[in-house]
PDB file of all heavy atoms in Angstrom:
ATOM      1  N   TYR A  89      93.145  93.111  82.963  1.00  0.00           N
ATOM      2  CA  TYR A  89      93.281  92.028  83.932  1.00  0.00           C
ATOM      3  C   TYR A  89      92.159  91.011  83.775  1.00  0.00           C
ATOM      4  O   TYR A  89      91.042  91.361  83.400  1.00  0.00           O
ATOM      5  CB  TYR A  89      93.253  92.563  85.374  1.00  0.00           C
ATOM      6  CG  TYR A  89      94.477  93.345  85.740  1.00  0.00           C
ATOM      7  CD1 TYR A  89      94.519  94.718  85.569  1.00  0.00           C
ATOM      8  CD2 TYR A  89      95.600  92.713  86.236  1.00  0.00           C
ATOM      9  CE1 TYR A  89      95.641  95.449  85.885  1.00  0.00           C
ATOM     10  CE2 TYR A  89      96.735  93.417  86.572  1.00  0.00           C
ATOM     11  CZ  TYR A  89      96.755  94.793  86.387  1.00  0.00           C
ATOM     12  OH  TYR A  89      97.879  95.500  86.711  1.00  0.00           O
ATOM     13  N   ALA A  90      92.463  89.769  84.080  1.00  0.00           N
ATOM     14  CA  ALA A  90      91.463  88.692  84.114  1.00  0.00           C
ATOM     15  C   ALA A  90      91.610  88.006  85.462  1.00  0.00           C
ATOM     16  O   ALA A  90      92.720  87.808  85.943  1.00  0.00           O
ATOM     17  CB  ALA A  90      91.702  87.693  82.986  1.00  0.00           C
ATOM     18  N   GLY A  91      90.500  87.671  86.084  1.00  0.00           N
ATOM     19  CA  GLY A  91      90.602  87.027  87.395  1.00  0.00           C
ATOM     20  C   GLY A  91      89.248  86.666  87.937  1.00  0.00           C
ATOM     21  O   GLY A  91      88.234  86.730  87.240  1.00  0.00           O
ATOM     22  N   GLU A  92      89.253  86.297  89.195  1.00  0.00           N
ATOM     23  CA  GLU A  92      88.016  85.899  89.864  1.00  0.00           C
ATOM     24  C   GLU A  92      88.127  86.190  91.344  1.00  0.00           C
ATOM     25  O   GLU A  92      89.206  86.430  91.862  1.00  0.00           O
ATOM     26  CB  GLU A  92      87.746  84.416  89.645  1.00  0.00           C
ATOM     27  CG  GLU A  92      88.827  83.511  90.194  1.00  0.00           C
ATOM     28  CD  GLU A  92      88.598  82.050  89.831  1.00  0.00           C
ATOM     29  OE1 GLU A  92      88.319  81.758  88.660  1.00  0.00           O
ATOM     30  OE2 GLU A  92      88.710  81.239  90.745  1.00  0.00           O
ATOM     31  N   TRP A  93      86.991  86.157  92.010  1.00  0.00           N
ATOM     32  CA  TRP A  93      86.903  86.371  93.450  1.00  0.00           C
ATOM     33  C   TRP A  93      86.674  85.025  94.125  1.00  0.00           C
ATOM     34  O   TRP A  93      86.051  84.135  93.550  1.00  0.00           O
ATOM     35  CB  TRP A  93      85.731  87.296  93.795  1.00  0.00           C
ATOM     36  CG  TRP A  93      85.953  88.713  93.405  1.00  0.00           C
ATOM     37  CD1 TRP A  93      85.694  89.260  92.186  1.00  0.00           C
ATOM     38  CD2 TRP A  93      86.471  89.758  94.209  1.00  0.00           C
ATOM     39  NE1 TRP A  93      86.012  90.583  92.189  1.00  0.00           N
ATOM     40  CE2 TRP A  93      86.495  90.912  93.435  1.00  0.00           C
ATOM     41  CE3 TRP A  93      86.909  89.816  95.533  1.00  0.00           C
ATOM     42  CZ2 TRP A  93      86.945  92.139  93.939  1.00  0.00           C
ATOM     43  CZ3 TRP A  93      87.359  91.038  96.015  1.00  0.00           C
ATOM     44  CH2 TRP A  93      87.371  92.174  95.209  1.00  0.00           C
ATOM     45  N   ALA A  94      87.130  84.918  95.337  1.00  0.00           N
ATOM     46  CA  ALA A  94      86.879  83.720  96.144  1.00  0.00           C
ATOM     47  C   ALA A  94      86.643  84.146  97.590  1.00  0.00           C
ATOM     48  O   ALA A  94      87.310  85.058  98.088  1.00  0.00           O
ATOM     49  CB  ALA A  94      88.073  82.773  96.085  1.00  0.00           C
ATOM     50  N   ASN A  95      85.667  83.526  98.225  1.00  0.00           N
ATOM     51  CA  ASN A  95      85.442  83.754  99.641  1.00  0.00           C
ATOM     52  C   ASN A  95      86.312  82.791 100.418  1.00  0.00           C
ATOM     53  O   ASN A  95      86.263  81.580 100.187  1.00  0.00           O
ATOM     54  CB  ASN A  95      83.970  83.531 100.014  1.00  0.00           C
ATOM     55  CG  ASN A  95      83.081  84.641  99.484  1.00  0.00           C
ATOM     56  OD1 ASN A  95      83.508  85.774  99.334  1.00  0.00           O
ATOM     57  ND2 ASN A  95      81.841  84.309  99.186  1.00  0.00           N
ATOM     58  N   VAL A  96      87.145  83.309 101.299  1.00  0.00           N
ATOM     59  CA  VAL A  96      88.003  82.489 102.121  1.00  0.00           C
ATOM     60  C   VAL A  96      87.786  82.839 103.591  1.00  0.00           C
ATOM     61  O   VAL A  96      87.543  83.990 103.932  1.00  0.00           O
ATOM     62  CB  VAL A  96      89.496  82.634 101.763  1.00  0.00           C
ATOM     63  CG1 VAL A  96      89.829  81.975 100.462  1.00  0.00           C
ATOM     64  CG2 VAL A  96      89.912  84.089 101.721  1.00  0.00           C
ATOM     65  N   ASP A  97      87.845  81.836 104.416  1.00  0.00           N
ATOM     66  CA  ASP A  97      87.748  82.015 105.849  1.00  0.00           C
ATOM     67  C   ASP A  97      89.172  82.085 106.385  1.00  0.00           C
ATOM     68  O   ASP A  97      89.963  81.175 106.195  1.00  0.00           O
ATOM     69  CB  ASP A  97      87.001  80.824 106.458  1.00  0.00           C
ATOM     70  CG  ASP A  97      86.720  81.020 107.940  1.00  0.00           C
ATOM     71  OD1 ASP A  97      87.502  81.740 108.608  1.00  0.00           O
ATOM     72  OD2 ASP A  97      85.752  80.441 108.431  1.00  0.00           O
ATOM     73  N   ALA A  98      89.506  83.173 107.033  1.00  0.00           N
ATOM     74  CA  ALA A  98      90.870  83.377 107.506  1.00  0.00           C
ATOM     75  C   ALA A  98      91.321  82.256 108.427  1.00  0.00           C
ATOM     76  O   ALA A  98      92.504  81.927 108.476  1.00  0.00           O
ATOM     77  CB  ALA A  98      90.976  84.717 108.231  1.00  0.00           C
ATOM     78  N   LYS A  99      90.396  81.618 109.116  1.00  0.00           N
ATOM     79  CA  LYS A  99      90.746  80.515 110.002  1.00  0.00           C
ATOM     80  C   LYS A  99      91.197  79.279 109.233  1.00  0.00           C
ATOM     81  O   LYS A  99      91.917  78.447 109.753  1.00  0.00           O
ATOM     82  CB  LYS A  99      89.564  80.149 110.905  1.00  0.00           C
ATOM     83  CG  LYS A  99      89.160  81.250 111.866  1.00  0.00           C
ATOM     84  CD  LYS A  99      87.983  80.815 112.714  1.00  0.00           C
ATOM     85  CE  LYS A  99      86.772  80.675 111.828  1.00  0.00           C
ATOM     86  NZ  LYS A  99      85.518  80.473 112.502  1.00  0.00           N
TER      87      LYS A  99
END
Side-chain angles (χ1 to χ4, degrees):
Y89 290 92
E92 60 186 48
W93 289 86
N95 288 330
V96 287
D97 187 332
K99 296 180 293 189

